[in-house]
Amino acid sequence: MIIIVDLLLMLIDLTYSILSAIVQTVLRPRLKCIDGELCLITGSGGALGRLFALEFAKEGAHLVLWDCNEEANEQTAKLARELGVKVHAYTVDLSKRMSIYETADRVRAEVGEVSILVNNAGVVAGRRLLDCPDELLERTLLVNCHALFWMTKAFLPQMKTTNHGHIVTVASALGLFSTACVEDYCASKFGAVGFHESLTHELLAEENDGIKTTLVCPYIVDTGMFAGCEIRKELRGLIPPLDPLYTVQQSMKAILAEQQMICIPRLMYIPFITRALLPWEANVATYRFMGGDKCMLPFIKNVALKNVNGHIKS
């Protein structure tokens, strides 16, 4: 009898969730206020990280900026300070666990407790698996995936104490479905998605309802990270690389609406769903038709040319 009651309650919750999602898609959801919150953004010296910093600053959040590139990070800090918020910049190597923990201690001592954590930093080796040095493969996994564990362990305890906070994971559409020749990146982003989802389930199971999570899965963003990546030319107008500002603004809407997950553009939900529903061969046929199976080859060639030119110049 109990299981029947639980089943009915589950069906009611399921129906409500679907209807709520439909309503939020049609109507603009209410956005929360983050004025005065302390927001930490990793990879803040890069294109997306800088835009995230400026968007959070416009909302009145004070910033803690982490990046391995001190000069680029300070430039982001300068731009954010011009918007009238407090900004603290730190040079951190996210591939090193102790660097994360030690800098987290500094942040708590010098600035305060972080209530919004945006795990944005990401790298890619840009080489075929058998041509890629182990160190580069390891770095991709350390920065894109392992660092999520250390960052969360560093800042989640205080969020749990106050039952207040927001953890954002900037993953990728390549964490939902894969493509060829970027094994390191796909593995790290699949790991990021799995980590984020499991963490969200844990918070819900422990009834930490004041701690929100948002998973961001964009298609290729036009930041130069995947320069040269191309699908079939006839379809490029349908799925062009995303504008960085558009990507961040869509992400911000999801974060402020406390939306659990967002794929950018919405078209990315389709391959995510078909990957689970269609046979493997059907997905392969679709990839080949779209040129997705070879889309990374021009990108890898570009990386190789940059490396060669770099050696020549040096």
Side-chain angles (χ1 to χ4, degrees):
M1 184 65 183
I2 294 177
I3 191 172
I4 295 176
V5 173
D6 285 344
L7 177 62
L8 290 173
L9 291 173
M10 185 272 289
L11 291 174
I12 292 172
D13 286 341
L14 182 65
T15 303
Y16 173 79
S17 298
I18 294 172
L19 292 175
S20 178
I22 294 172
V23 170
Q24 288 185 18
T25 300
V26 177
L27 302 177
R28 184 173 181 176
R30 182 179 179 182
L31 305 182
K32 68 178 179 181
C33 175
I34 57 171
D35 186 56
E37 299 270 358
L38 186 59
C39 173
L40 190 157
I41 302 169
T42 64
S44 47
L48 287 185
R50 179 169 295 171
L51 290 171
F52 268 118
L54 297 178
E55 290 298 314
F56 274 102
K58 290 175 184 177
E59 296 294 329
H62 301 302
L63 302 177
V64 175
L65 306 178
W66 283 20
D67 200 280
C68 61
N69 186 326
E70 182 176 2
E71 183 179 353
N73 204 29
E74 287 296 340
Q75 181 61 29
T76 300
K78 178 182 177 182
L79 293 172
R81 290 189 184 105
E82 292 174 356
L83 296 174
V85 300
K86 296 178 181 178
V87 184
H88 301 264
Y90 295 84
T91 303
V92 189
D93 185 349
L94 292 179
S95 68
K96 297 180 180 178
R97 176 166 47 89
M98 291 313 300
S99 177
I100 291 174
Y101 287 157
E102 289 169 2
T103 311
D105 288 338
R106 284 184 59 197
V107 169
R108 279 188 288 270
E110 298 170 6
V111 187
E113 296 294 344
V114 170
S115 56
I116 303 174
L117 175 59
V118 182
N119 289 308
N120 162 75
V123 297
V124 62
R127 302 187 189 184
R128 288 175 175 270
L129 176 62
L130 298 183
D131 298 330
C132 189
D134 292 347
E135 294 78 11
L136 288 182
L137 293 172
E138 288 179 336
R139 179 169 177 77
T140 302
L141 291 166
L142 287 169
V143 173
N144 296 2
C145 184
H146 292 194
L148 303 179
F149 291 82
W150 320 139
M151 294 295 296
T152 304
K153 290 186 72 174
F155 295 105
L156 181 59
Q158 178 59 29
M159 293 183 188
K160 282 191 171 184
T161 299
T162 58
N163 191 27
H164 175 74
H166 201 136
I167 297 175
V168 180
T169 302
V170 181
S172 169
L174 291 180
L176 303 174
F177 54 87
S178 59
T179 191
C181 301
V182 280
E183 290 87 350
D184 61 323
Y185 191 79
C186 288
S188 68
K189 292 303 184 178
F190 266 79
V193 171
F195 168 82
H196 181 95
E197 290 185 351
S198 182
L199 175 64
T200 300
H201 285 305
E202 178 179 327
L203 293 172
L204 291 172
E206 294 178 349
E207 298 184 353
N208 293 120
D209 55 349
I211 304 174
K212 309 302 180 181
T213 64
T214 299
L215 175 65
V216 180
C217 294
Y219 178 60
I220 294 169
V221 185
D222 191 15
T223 61
M225 185 175 184
F226 285 99
C229 176
E230 296 176 342
I231 60 171
R232 186 170 182 163
K233 62 181 180 180
E234 294 89 349
L235 301 176
R236 289 172 200 167
L238 179 63
I239 319 176
L242 295 170
D243 174 69
L245 181 58
Y246 172 80
T247 304
V248 170
Q249 288 176 338
Q250 291 298 113
S251 301
M252 286 297 297
K253 288 179 183 178
I255 294 165
L256 297 178
E258 297 181 343
Q259 184 176 329
Q260 285 85 359
M261 177 184 178
I262 179 171
C263 287
I264 310 171
R266 292 186 180 276
L267 197 62
M268 289 299 103
Y269 287 107
I270 296 176
F272 173 46
I273 295 171
T274 58
R275 180 181 183 273
L277 297 179
L278 296 180
W280 170 257
E281 292 79 5
N283 281 300
V284 171
T286 305
Y287 275 33
R288 286 177 175 171
F289 170 75
M290 297 186 66
D293 58 331
K294 297 180 179 178
C295 65
M296 289 294 172
L297 296 181
F299 157 65
I300 291 173
K301 184 177 180 180
N302 279 352
V303 173
L305 288 173
K306 287 181 181 178
N307 290 335
V308 170
N309 292 334
H311 287 307
I312 293 173
K313 290 179 181 179
S314 61

